[in-house]
Amino acid sequence: MTAEQQRLKVNATRKIPLEQWGPYLSERQWGTVREDFSENGDAWNYVPFHHAHARAYRWGEDGLGGISDFFGNLCFSVSLWNGKDTILKERLFGLGNNEGNHGEDVKELYYYLDNLPSHYYMQFLYKYPIEKFPYEELRDKNRHRSKLEPEYEILDTGIFDDNNYFDVLITYAKVNKKDIGIKIDLINRSTKAAPLTVLPTLWFFNRWQSRGQDKKPVIKAINKDCMVKATHERLGSYYFYYPKTREAYFTENETNTEKLFGKKNASIFVKDAFHDAVIHNKNREALVQKKSGTKFAPVFDYTIPAGGTKTLYLRLSDVIMEAPFTNAFTDIFDQRKQEADEFYQEKLPLSISADLKNIQRQALAGLLWSKQYYYYDIERWLSEPDGIAHVSDQRSKGRNNDWLHLKNQDIILMPDKWEYPWYAAWDLAFQCVPMAMIDPTFAKHQITLIMREWYMKPDGQLPAYEWNFSDVNPPVHAWSALQVYQIEKKNTGKGDIKFLKQVFHKLIINFTWWINRKDPNGNNIFEGGFLGLDNIGVFNRSIQLHSEAKLEQADGTSWMGMYALNLMDMAIEIAMEDDAYEDSATKFFEHFVLIAEALNQLGMWNEEDQFFYDKLGLPDNTTLQLRIQSIVGLTSLFAVSVIDKKVLNKLQDFTKRISWFEQYRIKNKKYWPNEEVADEDIMLISLIPKSKLTALLKRLLSETEFLSEGGIRALSKYHEAHPYTVNIEGTDYSIQYDPGDSTSDFFGGNSNWRGPVWMPINYLIIQSIQKFGEFYDGTLSIEYPTGSGIYMDLKEVAREIANRVISLFELNEKQHRKLHGKENWFYSKPENKDLVLFYEYFHGDKGNGLGASHQSGWTSLIAQLIEDYASET
């Protein structure tokens, strides 16, 4: 065992498998629903960016490359000043949803370079301009651009031209669980010496003004130079050590009401006091003379020569010590780096290139950095005022008012800690798959957590995301649980049946919610609304049309077919050890048959187009197929299972029931799903028959339709020359192929499913084709690409699509990465060539990254895809 594996083995024995200290600090608390106490639910404007440095938050904290304990009580991050900005750089800047031409967007350059599951070693890189940060230019340029134009990014401003920036490399290395080494390397990449002020900042989350904390925590100077003591009634005491400096500041983490609202402050010691002291020399002496507070920072002023580096060491420990910065301490950074190398050498494939290993490691690092302390009590949020907004009875009827049971205070994986600093149910399911590669215990914990009683609604619904917990995401948690189970079983030789049993019972409750709430006609045709695919429909699928028209969804129905089959597979796996679950396998198989019958026989398949479509039930009792060729019609591929003969031999009641059910339905001329037996050793069960499989693959593998150089598009390129328009009761609705950023306003307009390539969907498609290929084993060949005259086995097709997706991230012959697009000039620099961003989605034609730039949530699936690819080759 490596040192990290030994630590994880200990963590696995805990009830909650978490280290007390980790990267749990959010990168954006402002602009979140949690901080919004407005009457109209305008979260972006209630606490905007320009309030963040002066306003105490109520539900969390944020910072730059920071850490906190797992209750978010004591936080640390780095603040910077280049001598020109009007505010300290203490958090990442970005545009609110109403400021960007494609919604919210971070406008910074930062990278998650490394991390271990135990967080004994972590690295974060931030690039800080030497010249004045272009806040207003970024706001103004994006404000005046239309949705048809690209976003104006920070590299477009020219601020990073001629290497005119600092690299700020923040490294954390734990001595032990409660003793954390901090190393900050300040590298001047320019050709001239440049000033840089650094404030390593320690502060307490403000619970004392609004959360009834009995005793206000305190950070105070003690009779020893270069050390302060932070004391919290729950956390205990910690000591923060820093090198000798000209001065250090204390203040309180409390709102500057005078600056923001014109209301006199109780004292000069407010949250943004450091900004005024450093930049305007305001109250500087008072901050130096103050010897206690809830926010503290030593101040380091440097002039760093051209190409030079200044290194700053700090230490946060629960132990008081005389000599915190010994050689043994500084050596711990090299030791933990070596341990990280050993851990990933053990975990990652040996047979792949150094570049692919780098991609995998940064993907997994980003995934680990996405852990965040998330605090949200809906009942308190709706009933308690914040002392700033007008108190109104309307608040009690505000957003998420039917989720009063939801009381979250956990470390949970975020999709993107800046763009989406809140959990999303189906993102989390995908995130757990690559997490299982390196920390299956935490992956299982996250899947279990989202189904606990303080998340799941009493009726069985899972919370979608804080903007609307009642929205419906695809039911992929059973699939995720199986993936995590199988990855751990493959890597350790033993599957965790107890985990499967635990989640199986909760999943049954959620499955029942779907049946009762999303199948209003009782015919196994499901609704669901947008189902996570924001603008995939010709109209917003989550909003009832002006008439009584009812939408029945091909993807909702297919997802439920997949759900039933996943639960069948889960029950079978458990039943191999506990036969009490055998009849549950039968139940979900039979339910799958009914869903397959509905999908294939109740008007969703178009024989002419050879494709599945949503259908609209109109008030005059006629139906209208919405002939949009999108991934909505391809989700039917996902419901596929292969059952081994030894399973059928052992589960005789299950086998007998399947046989009877098949004979009964065939005898009575009822639909029977695709079930094929190969050499009597394995049985294939799928939502669609072979004829429809080959028809869908013909479209899927066409480069003029779904197949792009970077993977499978979300909407067929066919709609580029053939936009789809439908008239519904006098109103025209249209959709066309948009391979780049969104041109619609659906769900904030910051995500686009009308043409780009999305990692989670590609992962499911590749996995499904691989599973079909394992069954047919060379007996079914498909033309790839369609029209090429080249025929391949389905396993080869899966590998080829995987290669295309991986090519988005890989260095090509020009030493460029497709995902960097027009910014490859910057990433071709020697210091930047190994930096990889993990975008939310990718351009359907060019492959450049779009949307959230640090979606090492589900885009970290690339790590698992490379793992599968390496094994396959």
Side-chain angles (χ1 to χ4, degrees):
M1 274 194 180
T2 65
E4 178 65 7
Q5 286 171 317
Q6 292 175 34
R7 289 189 284 263
L8 293 180
K9 185 177 180 181
V10 174
N11 275 355
T13 64
R14 298 174 176 160
K15 187 174 182 180
I16 300 177
L18 274 175
E19 288 285 333
Q20 183 169 14
W21 288 91
Y24 310 142
L25 184 66
S26 178
E27 281 160 4
R28 178 172 65 81
Q29 187 69 14
W30 63 271
T32 60
V33 168
R34 305 187 295 289
E35 297 296 334
D36 177 25
F37 287 80
S38 66
E39 290 184 78
N40 61 353
D42 186 2
W44 286 106
N45 287 315
Y46 188 72
V47 184
F49 174 78
H50 66 271
H51 278 205
H53 60 282
R55 190 164 174 173
Y57 298 128
R58 292 175 61 87
W59 295 95
E61 294 290 340
D62 59 19
L64 183 65
I67 60 173
S68 78
D69 67 278
F70 51 37
F71 281 110
N73 287 313
L74 185 58
C75 309
F76 170 86
S77 74
V78 178
S79 297
L80 307 163
W81 188 53
N82 56 14
K84 301 176 180 69
D85 288 346
T86 57
I87 57 173
L88 299 181
K89 175 60 65 177
E90 61 181 4
R91 61 180 51 78
L92 297 168
F93 169 72
L95 304 179
N97 182 264
N98 56 339
E99 295 178 305
N101 58 327
H102 299 115
E104 62 267 30
D105 190 39
V106 69
K107 301 296 183 185
E108 300 268 20
L109 297 179
Y110 62 104
Y111 310 86
Y112 305 123
L113 297 186
D114 215 348
N115 209 325
L116 283 170
S118 69
H119 313 305
Y120 263 62
Y121 186 76
M122 303 188 289
Q123 270 197 326
F124 177 96
L125 174 64
Y126 174 68
K127 293 182 178 289
Y128 187 38
I130 288 175
E131 296 302 319
K132 186 177 180 181
F133 194 93
Y135 293 107
E136 289 310 314
E137 181 181 349
L138 288 163
R139 286 192 182 101
D140 186 65
K141 292 283 188 181
N142 282 284
R143 185 185 300 120
H144 289 96
R145 289 195 174 190
S146 73
K147 288 194 174 294
L148 300 178
E149 295 177 278
E151 296 172 0
Y152 187 73
E153 304 292 2
I154 193 165
L155 284 175
D156 297 327
T157 67
I159 196 85
F160 286 94
D161 291 357
D162 304 318
N163 275 25
N164 207 19
Y165 64 89
F166 297 104
D167 269 347
V168 181
L169 180 63
I170 306 169
T171 305
Y172 297 95
K174 292 183 184 178
V175 179
N176 59 51
K177 293 178 182 297
K178 296 183 179 183
D179 190 352
I180 304 148
I182 305 164
K183 179 185 178 185
I184 306 172
D185 291 310
L186 308 163
I187 307 164
N188 182 355
R189 295 294 184 185
S190 77
T191 57
K192 295 180 181 180
L196 181 61
T197 299
V198 184
L199 289 85
T201 307
L202 188 72
W203 76 99
F204 280 113
F205 172 31
N206 187 336
R207 296 177 187 265
W208 56 91
Q209 289 186 311
S210 60
R211 291 287 169 265
Q213 190 171 356
D214 291 337
K215 188 175 181 181
K216 183 177 178 180
V218 64
I219 305 170
K220 65 179 181 180
I222 55 178
N223 295 326
K224 183 174 173 59
D225 290 338
C226 303
M227 180 182 77
V228 294
K229 181 180 181 181
T231 303
H232 185 279
E233 61 181 333
R234 182 168 185 174
L235 185 64
S237 293
Y238 275 80
Y239 301 90
F240 182 54
Y241 301 92
Y242 54 93
K244 189 173 181 60
T245 183
R246 65 175 173 85
E247 57 191 19
Y249 299 155
F250 283 94
T251 190
E252 303 296 338
N253 183 20
E254 296 177 1
T255 299
N256 187 336
T257 56
E258 186 172 328
K259 179 177 288 187
L260 297 180
F261 310 113
K263 181 181 177 182
K264 187 175 175 61
N265 291 318
S267 82
I268 62 171
F269 302 113
V270 289
K271 181 178 177 179
D272 63 334
F274 297 171
H275 293 254
D276 288 336
V278 172
I279 299 168
H280 305 296
N281 206 32
K282 182 181 178 181
N283 298 324
R284 185 179 64 81
E285 190 60 32
L287 299 184
V288 173
Q289 293 301 317
K290 185 175 169 63
K291 297 304 178 185
S292 67
T294 48
K295 185 175 181 179
F296 168 80
V299 184
F300 299 91
D301 295 312
Y302 300 119
T303 297
I304 303 178
T309 299
K310 178 66 180 178
T311 299
L312 175 62
Y313 286 100
L314 307 138
R315 190 167 184 174
L316 180 64
S317 176
D318 66 337
V319 175
I320 191 165
M321 58 191 79
E322 290 297 321
F325 302 121
T326 61
N327 289 338
F329 170 76
T330 54
D331 288 347
I332 200 71
F333 292 88
D334 292 334
Q335 180 184 334
R336 298 302 183 224
K337 173 67 164 63
Q338 183 179 342
E339 290 172 0
D341 292 342
E342 291 169 352
F343 175 75
Y344 283 109
Q345 185 176 5
E346 172 76 20
K347 290 294 182 181
L348 304 184
L350 298 175
S351 59
I352 60 176
S353 68
D355 184 42
L356 285 176
K357 288 178 182 177
N358 174 57
I359 294 165
Q360 273 192 304
R361 187 153 169 179
Q362 285 191 51
L364 295 169
L367 179 64
L368 291 166
W369 271 97
S370 73
K371 292 181 184 179
Q372 180 184 304
Y373 170 69
Y374 184 87
Y375 182 28
Y376 195 17
D377 180 334
I378 298 275
E379 191 169 23
R380 293 185 66 175
W381 178 73
L382 289 172
S383 62
E384 296 179 358
D386 69 343
I388 297 171
H390 172 69
V391 178
S392 168
D393 292 339
Q394 190 173 338
R395 278 276 300 150
S396 64
K397 303 178 182 67
R399 195 192 303 270
N400 297 320
N401 67 79
D402 55 341
W403 287 81
L404 297 181
H405 76 285
L406 190 138
K407 293 168 173 52
N408 299 164
Q409 188 171 197
D410 296 288
I411 301 301
I412 191 164
L413 295 169
M414 301 292 119
D416 179 313
K417 282 172 76 172
W418 191 94
E419 188 130 356
Y420 306 115
W422 30 259
Y423 64 87
W426 80 311
D427 293 62
L428 183 66
F430 287 110
Q431 288 173 275
C432 289
V433 176
M435 181 62 75
M437 293 173 60
I438 51 174
D439 191 354
T441 302
F442 187 73
K444 291 182 290 185
H445 165 71
Q446 293 286 281
I447 293 172
T448 305
L449 180 66
I450 196 71
M451 288 183 272
R452 290 302 304 263
E453 56 274 14
W454 56 91
Y455 286 82
M456 179 185 277
K457 215 173 183 182
D459 63 10
Q461 184 178 11
L462 293 178
Y465 49 87
E466 67 177 34
W467 288 92
N468 185 359
F469 282 124
S470 293
D471 265 344
V472 182
N473 286 168
V476 289
H477 296 84
W479 170 83
S480 176
L482 274 172
Q483 295 296 303
V484 169
Y485 170 85
Q486 289 162 359
I487 290 169
E488 183 179 34
K489 186 176 181 180
K490 175 185 174 184
N491 291 339
T492 66
K494 182 175 176 59
D496 188 347
I497 292 294
K498 181 181 177 182
F499 161 69
L500 280 190
K501 286 182 176 181
Q502 187 176 9
V503 296
F504 184 74
H505 295 299
K506 292 295 185 74
L507 289 165
I508 289 175
I509 298 171
N510 179 246
F511 185 87
T512 304
W513 176 85
W514 272 89
I515 299 301
N516 291 337
R517 295 299 183 94
K518 297 302 173 182
D519 177 17
N521 297 323
N523 61 356
N524 294 298
I525 294 290
F526 291 85
E527 299 173 358
F530 86 121
L531 286 176
L533 314 179
D534 299 21
N535 63 345
I536 197 73
V538 69
F539 50 79
N540 187 338
R541 300 194 302 170
S542 288
I543 297 177
Q544 174 65 43
L545 291 173
H546 57 282
S547 71
E548 293 302 311
K550 295 291 184 183
L551 183 67
E552 294 185 326
Q553 297 178 218
D555 56 339
T557 305
S558 297
W559 286 119
M560 283 303 289
M562 175 185 174
Y563 200 175
L565 211 52
N566 291 152
L567 288 172
M568 180 201 76
D569 285 338
M570 195 177 290
I572 287 173
E573 186 72 20
I574 300 171
M576 295 298 286
E577 293 192 13
D578 185 347
D579 59 10
Y581 286 77
E582 188 172 356
D583 61 344
S584 292
T586 305
K587 177 264 180 295
F588 286 110
F589 172 76
E590 294 189 5
H591 207 136
F592 167 78
V593 170
L594 299 178
I595 294 171
E597 176 182 45
L599 179 72
N600 285 277
Q601 293 198 335
L602 296 185
M604 289 187 163
W605 177 257
N606 185 293
E607 197 61 41
E608 178 185 353
D609 295 349
Q610 295 283 285
F611 207 78
F612 285 107
Y613 297 123
D614 285 349
K615 65 177 185 177
L616 198 62
L618 300 174
D620 62 2
N621 293 322
T622 61
T623 59
L624 173 68
Q625 277 191 339
L626 301 176
R627 296 171 71 175
I628 306 164
Q629 292 171 24
S630 74
I631 53 172
V632 165
L634 298 175
T635 51
S636 56
L637 295 169
F638 302 159
V640 53
S641 180
V642 177
I643 303 177
D644 192 272
K645 183 180 179 181
K646 66 182 181 182
V647 171
L648 299 176
N649 288 341
K650 182 167 184 178
L651 305 182
Q652 294 185 10
D653 183 72
F654 174 73
T655 305
K656 180 179 178 182
R657 178 66 184 178
I658 286 179
S659 178
W660 178 88
F661 198 44
E662 178 182 12
Q663 293 172 22
Y664 176 85
R665 291 187 68 82
I666 292 174
K667 179 180 178 181
N668 288 280
K669 297 182 172 54
K670 290 183 174 291
Y671 181 83
W672 188 249
N674 190 37
E675 177 210 322
E676 300 184 44
V677 178
D679 300 327
E680 299 185 353
D681 287 329
I682 53 174
M683 181 173 73
L684 174 78
I685 302 173
S686 65
L687 200 55
I688 51 175
K690 187 192 290 186
S691 59
K692 289 179 181 175
L693 170 65
T694 55
L696 289 175
L697 289 178
K698 184 178 180 180
R699 291 199 178 281
L700 180 82
L701 303 178
S702 170
E703 291 179 316
T704 60
E705 298 186 54
F706 286 99
L707 183 63
S708 79
E709 289 186 3
I712 304 302
R713 303 177 174 107
L715 183 78
S716 173
K717 193 174 173 67
Y718 167 83
H719 290 300
E720 183 175 42
H722 306 89
Y724 177 76
T725 300
V726 61
N727 185 282
I728 303 172
E729 297 183 337
T731 301
D732 285 335
Y733 299 90
S734 297
I735 190 172
Q736 65 181 20
Y737 175 69
D738 282 332
D741 284 307
S742 175
T743 59
S744 77
D745 289 319
F746 291 4
F747 292 88
N750 62 330
S751 294
N752 183 27
W753 290 83
R754 295 181 173 182
V757 172
W758 288 78
M759 178 63 71
I761 297 300
N762 272 263
Y763 189 84
L764 287 172
I765 288 171
I766 291 165
Q767 190 179 72
S768 298
I769 294 174
Q770 177 74 21
K771 196 171 289 187
F772 278 113
E774 289 169 358
F775 175 79
Y776 288 113
D777 196 24
T779 64
L780 177 61
S781 295
I782 296 291
E783 192 177 22
Y784 176 89
T786 301
S788 67
I790 301 170
Y791 284 81
M792 292 185 179
D793 167 73
L794 291 181
K795 286 185 287 186
E796 292 178 295
V797 170
R799 186 171 63 248
E800 287 298 320
I801 298 173
N803 285 343
R804 292 194 179 214
V805 176
I806 292 168
S807 76
L808 294 169
F809 299 81
E810 280 185 295
L811 285 169
N812 61 21
E813 65 281 356
K814 295 181 179 179
Q815 295 300 292
H816 289 176
R817 302 183 197 273
K818 288 179 188 175
L819 64 88
H820 289 319
K822 64 182 178 63
E823 296 177 345
N824 267 295
W825 68 268
F826 183 75
Y827 291 99
S828 296
K829 294 175 183 289
E831 68 270 21
N832 299 333
K833 66 182 179 65
D834 292 328
L835 299 178
V836 185
L837 291 173
F838 297 87
Y839 285 93
E840 187 178 4
Y841 53 97
F842 303 86
H843 196 284
D845 294 333
K846 301 174 184 177
N848 56 286
L850 297 164
S853 57
H854 291 72
Q855 186 102 348
S856 42
W858 62 23
T859 302
S860 60
L861 281 165
I862 188 65
Q864 183 63 50
L865 195 61
I866 292 172
E867 172 88 3
D868 297 338
Y869 161 84
S871 301
E872 185 64 22
T873 54

